[in-house]
Amino acid sequence: MKELTIRLMVLEDIEAFERGFREQGWNPKPEIHKMYLEEQNRGLRKVFVAEIDREAAGYLTLLPEAAHGPFAGKGWPEITDFNVLQKYQRCGVGGRLMDAAEQAAAQFSPVVTIGVGLHSGYGTAQRMYVKRGYLPDGSGVWYQNRPLEPYTSCCNDDDLVLYLSKELD
């Protein structure tokens, strides 16, 4: 049986995720993970990493306050940049990462927020968030950090987002 643990990011994770992304045909961006680690060290973000048998399997980050979207300025934390390496999907990694982020958020807020992309690449995440009790805020979809006006054309890329929130126990 494989051991799944959740911990905060360490320097070695940057190389592990770079390698993992490359193995699945993605273009790794280690500078983003370096920035996350630096922000975590400065107390600006928490980066939760899932390990399976001491191998980095996925991560998500928790900002103490939403920076964009309809929840900005409300003092509610936001879960961002949630990735589980493909070879570890369907192993409970995503759920455990979400548990850790929600528990951390509950220590200082009654609500946690998240934005999710709308194209099919986010389908699994969309379903997970709904099953976990996340609800849309009612502001519609956002594109490039702005509400998308009705009947406006846009590109169904990673910048097309629906924002959701969940009340924490």
Side-chain angles (χ1 to χ4, degrees):
M1 183 161 148
K2 297 186 182 250
E3 182 183 357
L4 171 59
T5 58
I6 306 296
R7 59 168 173 74
L8 293 178
M9 179 180 249
V10 295
L11 183 61
E12 293 76 20
D13 293 327
I14 296 168
E15 186 178 315
F17 285 118
E18 183 178 357
R19 185 174 51 255
F21 287 151
R22 192 171 284 111
E23 286 173 3
Q24 63 190 37
W26 291 10
N27 182 25
K29 297 180 180 158
E31 64 277 3
I32 291 173
H33 296 113
K34 288 176 186 172
M35 179 189 72
Y36 288 169
L37 183 59
E38 179 183 308
E39 288 179 355
Q40 177 178 269
N41 292 340
R42 292 175 33 216
L44 303 174
R45 167 189 313 263
K46 286 189 177 189
V47 186
F48 295 96
V49 173
E51 275 188 337
I52 293 182
D53 291 339
R54 296 196 298 216
E55 218 178 289
Y59 70 92
L60 65 69
T61 80
L62 179 67
L63 295 172
E65 184 172 346
H68 304 287
F71 304 120
K74 292 191 175 191
W76 296 340
E78 181 179 26
I79 295 170
T80 66
D81 198 6
F82 182 11
N83 280 292
V84 176
L85 296 174
Q86 291 170 349
K87 66 183 179 180
Y88 295 113
Q89 292 178 2
R90 303 252 184 247
C91 297
V93 172
R96 289 280 301 278
L97 284 167
M98 290 292 291
D99 290 345
E102 289 172 1
Q103 288 169 8
Q107 294 179 19
F108 60 94
S109 175
V111 175
V112 66
T113 68
I114 196 163
V116 64
L118 295 181
H119 63 69
S120 62
Y122 292 99
T124 301
Q126 294 163 1
R127 291 176 52 82
M128 173 195 274
Y129 303 151
V130 170
K131 287 178 180 181
R132 292 183 70 90
Y134 285 80
L135 297 172
D137 78 302
S139 67
V141 297
W142 288 58
Y143 188 65
Q144 297 179 337
N145 296 321
R146 290 188 302 274
L148 188 62
E149 295 296 323
Y151 308 102
T152 302
S153 295
C154 67
C155 181
N156 190 5
D157 60 15
D158 291 343
D159 290 328
L160 186 63
V161 176
L162 181 67
Y163 285 95
L164 311 164
S165 67
K166 177 181 178 178
E167 291 187 22
L168 301 169
D169 298 329

